[in-house]
Amino acid sequence: RSDAQRNGDSACAVERLVDPKKIWAIVQKNWMVLKADKVRLVPLFLFPVLMITVFGFVSGSIPKHMTAAIVDYDQTDFSYSVQKELSGMDLFSVRYVVGTQEEGKRLLDEGKIKALFILPSGLGGKVATGQPANMQLMVDESDSSVAQIAKSSVQAFAQQLSARITAQRLNAISSPHIL
């Protein structure tokens, strides 16, 4: 029988599983011990900072110069300008211009490239007439973070290209025509 039951108290005292007062007492005791022991105190704070720094350095960098290939089915001045702009991006290093999508897939499967750009036939014509045009991208999904960065970068590239084409068309329409 517990003391509460022996004394006739009807309410039994229940010990809490997590007692903040006890936890704080343990923290204070450990801090007093650590404060006196400088040899343990330095690594206690140094190692977490070191590990955060190393982890941030290793995983926080944005990849640059990912190897890429281009399949150009369009073969127009517009598609050549898109190729040139893609080659000029820091993120991609266009090393191959292949004739077919199958050749590009083979390079992707062999690990020689991380991204494959496919410029479909009729791309330049659609852009010239103001129709919606699409460029395809295939990425190596073995490293999901690199694949996601490649996809978002190409999407941003396509939006910038679209905005520039729209601005050029508006300038052409709004400029006075000399007869």
Side-chain angles (χ1 to χ4, degrees):
R1 294 179 58 168
S2 68
D3 291 337
Q5 290 174 338
R6 274 190 236 123
N7 292 339
D9 293 338
S10 60
C12 295
V14 177
E15 184 175 344
R16 289 193 279 176
L17 185 61
V18 177
D19 188 2
K21 290 180 183 179
K22 289 180 181 178
I23 292 172
W24 182 246
I26 292 169
V27 167
Q28 284 179 321
K29 182 212 55 115
N30 286 340
W31 178 248
M32 287 188 328
V33 170
L34 275 173
K35 199 167 52 170
D37 190 1
K38 303 289 188 214
V39 173
R40 290 186 189 173
L41 188 61
V42 171
L44 180 71
F45 290 108
L46 184 65
F47 285 140
V49 170
L50 182 68
M51 293 308 292
I52 289 170
T53 303
V54 168
F55 181 73
F57 179 74
V58 170
S59 67
S61 62
I62 296 174
K64 288 188 176 184
H65 306 295
M66 284 190 284
T67 55
I70 297 177
V71 180
D72 186 1
Y73 290 121
D74 195 35
Q75 301 290 322
T76 61
D77 290 339
F78 179 76
S79 67
Y80 291 131
S81 68
V82 170
Q83 283 186 43
K84 190 174 181 179
E85 288 184 47
L86 285 171
S87 297
M89 292 178 68
D90 283 341
L91 184 62
F92 299 107
S93 175
V94 179
R95 297 211 178 134
Y96 304 96
V97 176
V98 293
T100 65
Q101 187 172 340
E102 288 74 28
E103 288 178 64
K105 281 183 183 179
R106 192 181 77 247
L107 291 172
L108 202 59
D109 292 340
E110 291 172 358
K112 292 182 178 179
I113 59 171
K114 295 286 185 186
L116 174 64
F117 298 97
I118 303 164
L119 306 178
S121 62
L123 179 69
K126 286 181 178 180
V127 170
T129 59
Q131 297 176 13
N134 293 320
M135 176 177 69
Q136 295 177 341
L137 171 70
M138 296 177 72
V139 293
D140 181 4
E141 296 284 345
S142 64
D143 188 348
S144 61
S145 63
V146 170
Q148 187 62 35
I149 289 170
K151 288 175 187 177
S152 62
S153 296
V154 169
Q155 187 174 16
F157 169 76
Q159 288 173 348
Q160 289 173 354
L161 185 62
S162 177
R164 192 175 70 241
I165 291 168
T166 303
Q168 288 172 352
R169 298 185 118 229
L170 288 174
N171 282 340
I173 292 171
S174 65
S175 66
H177 296 288
I178 300 173
L179 297 175

